[in-house]
Amino acid sequence: MATIVENELDSLKNLKDSFVRFMMTYKFALEEVNTKINILKQEFQYADDYNPIEHITSRLKSPESIINKAYRKGFDLTLSSIKENIRDIAGVRITCSFISDIYKISRMLQNQKDIKLIEVKDYVKNPKPNGYRSLHLIIQIPVFMSNRVNDVYVEVQIRTIAMDFWSSLEHKIYYKYSGEIPKELKEELTEAAFSALKLDEKMENIHDQVNKIKKHSQFEQSLPFEGPLQITEEILRQIQQNKE
Ligand code: GTP
Ligand code: MG
């Protein structure tokens, strides 16, 4: 009798160990994607003097939500089935200023050699009937572990501040009413989504106009020496000399 219980405990322990390892790969994948986006953010800041990435948030789906989603969608409750079918266990959300930034960031991520694009859902060009807009990418990235490489799915949502503002509120309301939002409120939300779209278009337009002016005056700018890296004009001249 004792051995049956012991065996059962052993197999539960093994299962827990596999599950913890399973979740860890998603945590590492999130860290990798976060690092990639932070590098883009800093590089943008330096090269363009303008940073399209406003903020980045990431989340790991809880084990409970993973199991609930697998049940709801009728997937097998094995780790390999969950890995293949539930592709939003690791989620990253990037908020940017303008609609054009969404595609700029998306292109930059897709151009990275170790990122494989699996799926694109463009709710910016094709908003959902309720007015929801965002660009969703499912990507796959390799996570190098001590004894194996795991290709891990990550869901990346890219949206403007206005889109984010709208979807956070809609999400809260949706939960408050358990998905059954009263008709008038629903209509108001769709109207608000339209206002957010108009705001995005207006901001993009202003941004374009300002950009044109900036391009003209760039010629008058001098080289920004010093800064946090302490690169003086003298150091630069020495590098130049070494090259020749
Ligand atoms: P899930 O099975 O829920 O992940 O949806 P899906 O597989 O149909 O994917 P989809 O790309 O449509 O949505 C994925 C995620 O986008 C959701 O988990 C939300 O974070 C977000 N999302 C999609 N639609 C809406 C919406 O109408 N309102 C809000 N606030 N968020 C949404
Ligand atoms: Mg989801």
Side-chain angles (χ1 to χ4, degrees), residues 184-214:
E184 305 84 77
L185 204 50
K186 227 179 186 166
E187 282 168 6
E188 274 193 279
L189 266 174
T190 311
E191 258 176 58
F194 186 71
S195 304
L197 169 67
K198 290 290 139 204
L199 178 64
D200 271 338
E201 288 173 351
K202 208 166 209 110
M203 297 299 257
E204 184 93 42
N205 192 279
I206 297 172
H207 175 62
D208 281 352
Q209 292 180 42
V210 173
N211 253 354
K212 275 182 204 139
I213 299 167
K214 229 168 92 184

Side-chain angles (χ1 to χ4, degrees), residues 59 61 69 72-73 86-89 136 155 157:
R59 66 107 185 86
K61 221 181 183 65
K69 186 166 180 177
R72 208 173 56 239
K73 304 236 172 186
I86 303 187
R87 298 179 175 186
D88 63 348
I89 293 176
H136 293 187
E155 182 184 77
Q157 300 181 349

Side-chain angles (χ1 to χ4, degrees), residues 154-166:
V154 177
E155 182 184 77
V156 183
Q157 300 181 349
I158 316 175
R159 52 173 72 150
T160 62
I161 300 169
M163 294 175 191
D164 192 50
F165 190 21
W166 182 90

